[in-house]
Amino acid sequence: MTASNITTTHPTSFLLVGIPGLEHLHVWISIPFSFAYTLALLGNCTLLFIIQTDAALHEPMYLFLAMLAVIDLVLSSTTLPKMLAIFWFRDREINFYACLVQMFFLHSFSIMESAVLLAMAFDRYVAICKPLHYTTVLTGSLITRIGMAAVTRAVTLMTPLPFLLRRFHYCRGPLIAHCYCEHMAVVRLACGDTRFNNIYGIAVAMFIVVLDLLFVILSYIFILRAVLQLASQEARYKAFGTCVSHIGAILSTYTPVVISSVMHRVARQAAPHVHILLAIFYLLFPPMINPIIYGIKTKQIRDHVLSLFQRKNV
């Protein structure tokens, strides 16, 4: 085999289109996006500050919440700054390797988010179904192992993607019809046989969403059964009330995924910007709304936030 047969070439950079068909509205679209990103930064940083400074919140539920806040910060900061640069300054160019790094962080931290939501479901299961064993089951070492397992799973599944993309020759031009370097958007520019990339990407997505969501649903079946067995209505309400924030986080994360998946199959003829706006919604909505959900529904966090504002007003 000659060197010319095994050598692959790739462009030094790609050009991100932004939102195809809505380029003339980029500046206006950037207003709600920048507002949502600002809320995500403020909300998640506030959560991390409160959990870090209040020793009473160094419990499993809040440690998992801190993990979720870090993941949301990374997810939104991986894509939004470049996206806003496209909208405001028409800075569409992105280095080839920077594109692969962005793609790796985007997809790997999405997988970590799913794992942490599953861990939070396990936390609620133990707290409600086995309350007497809560502190002995969810120890600090177990929480650390769960966090490491979430990172290991994500990195293991996503590490092959950049290496698979490096081997292609990109003969369909440098224009990526997206706001960020999403795996399939980059694959569409490649020549040659991309079937493995297509199958691998779909298989990983289905494996993560289906498996994690299945275990979350199973956890809540056991939780619901335990709650319904409680003697008083007040006890049932109080027990299930501790799950409301987590259910809200699950809905904010998985609902955009399900809607986007349905749209890809039902509305295949829809304009490209519809699918891209849904993808952006998935990246922006959970990081923005999760701190609000936990801030409103979790008394300890709500009281801490109110005390911070009262101190400022004194």
Side-chain angles (χ1 to χ4, degrees):
M1 187 178 289
T2 63
S4 62
N5 288 332
I6 62 173
T7 301
T8 58
T9 60
H10 55 73
T12 57
S13 60
F14 288 121
L15 293 176
L16 293 165
V17 172
I19 304 178
L22 298 180
E23 289 89 347
H24 60 293
L25 296 175
H26 274 176
V27 173
W28 294 106
I29 293 171
S30 71
I31 295 172
F33 285 2
S34 56
F35 177 72
Y37 182 48
T38 302
L39 278 182
L41 289 178
L42 289 174
N44 287 291
C45 287
T46 301
L47 268 183
L48 288 171
F49 173 76
I50 290 171
I51 293 170
Q52 195 271 329
T53 54
D54 190 346
L57 299 181
H58 294 177
E59 297 177 3
M61 173 183 170
Y62 301 106
L63 294 177
F64 287 132
L65 179 57
M67 293 181 196
L68 187 66
V70 170
I71 290 167
D72 282 341
L73 283 172
V74 174
L75 268 178
S76 54
S77 297
T78 297
T79 52
L80 262 294
K82 181 60 182 178
M83 201 182 300
L84 293 175
I86 296 168
F87 295 160
W88 290 341
F89 311 114
R90 298 183 181 179
D91 181 16
R92 302 191 300 161
E93 186 175 1
I94 184 168
N95 179 273
F96 177 79
Y97 290 104
C99 181
L100 296 186
V101 170
Q102 185 189 61
M103 182 196 69
F104 175 80
F105 272 82
L106 171 66
H107 293 307
S108 59
F109 274 84
S110 295
I111 293 173
M112 289 181 212
E113 182 169 50
S114 182
V116 171
L117 287 172
L118 174 57
M120 294 171 86
F122 175 66
D123 168 80
R124 292 299 83 206
Y125 164 76
V126 177
I128 293 173
C129 299
K130 300 180 184 295
L132 298 178
H133 303 286
Y134 184 72
T135 54
T136 55
V137 172
L138 282 165
T139 60
S141 61
L142 179 62
I143 294 168
T144 302
R145 289 201 298 272
I146 289 173
M148 292 302 297
V151 173
T152 303
R153 183 181 72 159
V155 171
T156 302
L157 290 172
M158 287 298 106
T159 296
L161 289 187
F163 294 100
L164 290 169
L165 291 172
R166 277 189 61 191
R167 65 189 176 93
F168 288 124
H169 175 63
Y170 293 85
C171 60
R172 295 192 173 97
L175 284 177
I176 298 177
H178 217 299
C179 296
Y180 53 83
C181 291
E182 191 266 335
H183 175 234
M184 293 310 300
V186 177
V187 169
R188 290 188 191 102
L189 302 180
C191 299
D193 188 355
T194 61
R195 283 177 299 177
F196 182 79
N197 285 69
N198 295 335
I199 294 170
Y200 187 79
I202 293 170
V204 169
M206 292 300 294
F207 170 75
I208 295 300
V209 172
V210 172
L211 191 66
D212 289 0
L213 202 51
L214 175 64
F215 282 116
V216 168
I217 291 170
L218 284 174
S219 295
Y220 273 97
I221 289 172
F222 288 118
I223 288 170
L224 188 60
R225 190 176 68 176
V227 168
L228 292 176
Q229 289 174 349
L230 293 174
S232 69
Q233 185 176 350
E234 184 182 352
R236 289 195 292 269
Y237 178 79
K238 185 177 180 181
F240 202 72
T242 63
C243 302
V244 171
S245 299
H246 180 243
I247 293 171
I250 290 171
L251 291 175
S252 73
T253 301
Y254 284 112
T255 302
V257 174
V258 173
I259 293 173
S260 180
S261 178
V262 171
M263 285 292 293
H264 271 290
R265 285 154 183 79
V266 175
R268 291 184 179 180
Q269 303 305 316
H273 66 258
V274 174
H275 299 295
I276 291 174
L277 286 171
L278 279 172
I280 298 170
F281 181 73
Y282 162 70
L283 288 177
L284 264 181
F285 186 67
M288 177 188 72
I289 204 70
N290 285 344
I292 297 173
I293 293 171
Y294 278 93
I296 292 173
K297 295 301 297 181
T298 308
K299 185 179 184 301
Q300 293 91 328
I301 294 175
R302 185 174 66 246
D303 291 347
H304 211 298
V305 172
L306 290 174
S307 69
L308 287 175
F309 280 107
Q310 287 170 357
R311 249 179 265 164
K312 287 182 179 180
N313 293 330
V314 172

